[in-house]
């Protein structure tokens, strides 16, 4: 079968016909990539800046939208796990779609995923400095511009990543451990504090603001909370037994995050006395709950937020830059991105370019605010919502293509392993689940700049397809290189 072309590093053709560079194999265990995945999700950062909007959209029963999102992400996880079991690769979605539909789809996916993740990561990079500014101003009165902290924290994170995948992954895991400890402590304390007023209302459909319509409207916002769940697939090449461990890391991470978000949301809604309007008016509702519950010890919530942003910076750029690296290694993008440090085996060029491009997006977005119709400086909290929304559209398109690809891939290359439920029904439901947030992100009538995001995404898709078609025409050998480097090849 054509899939049997997948070979080891000694015989795999590179972009120029030579042997491609490889990352350091087998140095991460299942616990490492699961921790990195959850650090990439960044529960504190995501929940701090996303839950107020979710609660005002869905109402008191907003935790139900988190349950729905958790189920949907588990469906996406099934697709990723099944692809990784068959063909583990640092290329992740690019490899999976490309092996199914051919080199044009691979290049298109590489561009959509790379740009989508960079735009989404720009929101994280900005909010890291923004939250540092908020924290220092709250406790010391010092009000240095957030961009200074953004540049400092991003620089430190990049240096950490360039030291090697083992070191940076462990630090991301440490940051995640701190934020989770803080989130759980504050949530439990808030529930205990309000134990006399506890109610099942957050889990009753009747308490959704507008019924099922509110559940659907809040669904994409809840899915945002999980972005980063796919982190482990891009670390496959550096993971021991990736065919088994990537899937385990995906499902364990999604399960832990779902249960955790339910706890955090219940504690927050309870802490605000089930007053969704007041909750929505809060800049960071969870921090307000911490201050009311713990008093001076609320500083722990700020610490959790800071470690969360750092964890997302390290884990997110680490994994997402590897998609860019793999695309460069295979010739889908310029070979410059396929460089690996000779000693540390890290994709240095991809990491630095990824972070630098995200910073340039922040600068460009900021200039747009200054030179725009209303003028004024860019607020990092507002930018977080705007940038993550645009990036999410591109990423969701990649999710959609992957879910469509899974049954076709197994029927074509692994028919003896094809299972109706795992390889057809679940990805079909997953594809439908992707369409819901895509609709709400692209529907007309939204305020600017959200109103032009769908057009920007469509233009990006068309440009990516045109570039891909030209590249494949110039380089017919590209078809043989897509996904040629298998993560566990000897």
């Amino acid at each position: 079968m054509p899939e049997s072309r997948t070979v080891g590093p000694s015989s795999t053709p590179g972009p120029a016909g030579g042997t491609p560079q490889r990352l350091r194999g087998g140095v991460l265990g299942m616990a490492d990539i699961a921790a990195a995945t959850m650090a990439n999700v960044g529960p504190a950062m995501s929940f701090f800046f996303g839950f107020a909007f979710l609660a005002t959209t869905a109402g008191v029963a907003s935790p139900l939208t988190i349950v729905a999102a958790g189920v949907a992400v588990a469906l996406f996880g099934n697709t990723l796990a099944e692809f990784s079991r068959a063909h583990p690769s640092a290329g992740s979605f690019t490899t999976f779609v490309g092996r199914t539909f051919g080199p044009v789809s691979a290049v298109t996916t590489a561009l959509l995923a790379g740009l989508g993740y960079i735009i989404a990561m720009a929101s994280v990079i900005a909010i890291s400095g923004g939250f540092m500014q908020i924290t220092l101003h709250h406790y010391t009165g010092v009000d240095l511009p957030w961009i200074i902290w953004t540049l400092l924290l991003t620089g430190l994170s990049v240096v950490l990543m360039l030291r090697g995948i083992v070191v940076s992954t462990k630090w991301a895991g440490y940051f995640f451990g701190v934020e989770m400890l803080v989130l759980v402590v504050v949530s439990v304390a808030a529930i205990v504090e309000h134990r006399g007023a506890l109610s099942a209302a957050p889990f009753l459909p009747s308490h959704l603001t507008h019924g099922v319509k509110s559940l659907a409207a809040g669904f994409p916002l809840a899915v945002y909370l999980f972005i980063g769940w796919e982190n482990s697939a891009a670390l496959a090449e550096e993971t021991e037994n990736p065919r088994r461990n990537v899937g385990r890391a995906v499902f364990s991470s999604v399960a832990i995050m779902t249960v955790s978000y339910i706890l955090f949301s219940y504690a927050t809604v309870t802490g605000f006395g089930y007053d969704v309007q007041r909750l929505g008016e809060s800049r960071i509702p969870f921090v307000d709950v911490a201050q009311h519950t713990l008093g001076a010890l609320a500083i722990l919530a700020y610490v959790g937020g800071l470690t969360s942003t750092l964890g997302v910076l390290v884990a997110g750029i680490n994994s997402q830059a590897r998609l860019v690296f793999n695309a460069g290694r295979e010739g889908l993008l310029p070979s410059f991105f396929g460089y690996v440090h000779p000693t540390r085996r890290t994709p240095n060029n991809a990491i630095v370019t990824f972070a630098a491009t995200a910073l340039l997006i922040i600068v460009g977005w900021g200039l747009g605010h200054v030179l725009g119709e209303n003028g004024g400086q860019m607020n990092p909290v507002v930018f977080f919502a705007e940038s993550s929304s645009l990036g999410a559209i591109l990423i969701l398109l990649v999710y959609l293509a992957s879910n469509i690809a899974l049954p076709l891939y197994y029927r074509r290359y692994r028919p003896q392993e094809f299972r109706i439920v795992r390889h057809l029904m679940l990805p079909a439901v997953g594809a439908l689940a992707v369409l819901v947030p895509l609709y709400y992100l692209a529907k007309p009538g939204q305020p600017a700049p959200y109103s032009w995001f769908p057009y920007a995404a469509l233009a990006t898709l068309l440009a990516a397809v045109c570039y891909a078609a030209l590249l494949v025409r110039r380089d017919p050998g590209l078809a043989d290189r897509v996904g040629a480097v298998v993560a566990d090849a000897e």
Side-chain angles (χ1 to χ4, degrees), residues 235-259:
L235 301 179
E237 190 169 324
E238 293 145 299
T239 302
E240 59 180 2
N241 197 354
R243 296 179 189 273
R244 179 192 66 186
N245 286 334
V246 168
R248 290 184 176 183
V250 168
F251 287 120
S252 61
S253 300
V254 172
I256 292 172
M257 287 295 93
T258 301
V259 173

Side-chain angles (χ1 to χ4, degrees), residues 37-38 40-43 46-47 54 63 65-74 76 117 219-231 250-262 399:
T37 296
M38 291 184 283
N40 193 175
V41 171
S46 301
F47 191 79
L54 172 60
T65 62
I66 292 175
V67 175
V71 172
V73 173
F76 306 158
Y117 282 121
F219 179 72
L221 304 174
V223 170
Y224 289 167
L225 300 180
F226 291 87
I227 292 293
W229 63 269
E230 65 273 44
N231 174 289
V250 168
F251 287 120
S252 61
S253 300
V254 172
I256 292 172
M257 287 295 93
T258 301
V259 173
S260 299
Y261 279 139
I262 292 172
Y399 289 176

Side-chain angles (χ1 to χ4, degrees), residues 186-199 266-274 278 288-290 292-294:
V186 173
S187 297
V188 172
I191 291 173
V192 172
E193 174 78 14
H194 298 85
R195 57 188 178 275
L198 295 182
S199 167
Y266 183 74
T268 304
V269 171
T270 300
F272 275 85
Y274 309 104
R278 190 162 59 90
D288 287 346
V289 170
H292 176 77
T293 304
L294 301 178

Side-chain angles (χ1 to χ4, degrees), residues 14-17 103 107 330-333 468-481:
V107 178
E330 295 179 350
L332 282 64
L333 294 177
L470 289 173
L471 182 63
V472 172
R473 184 177 180 181
R474 291 173 51 191
D475 184 5
L478 192 60
D480 293 321
R481 296 199 301 271

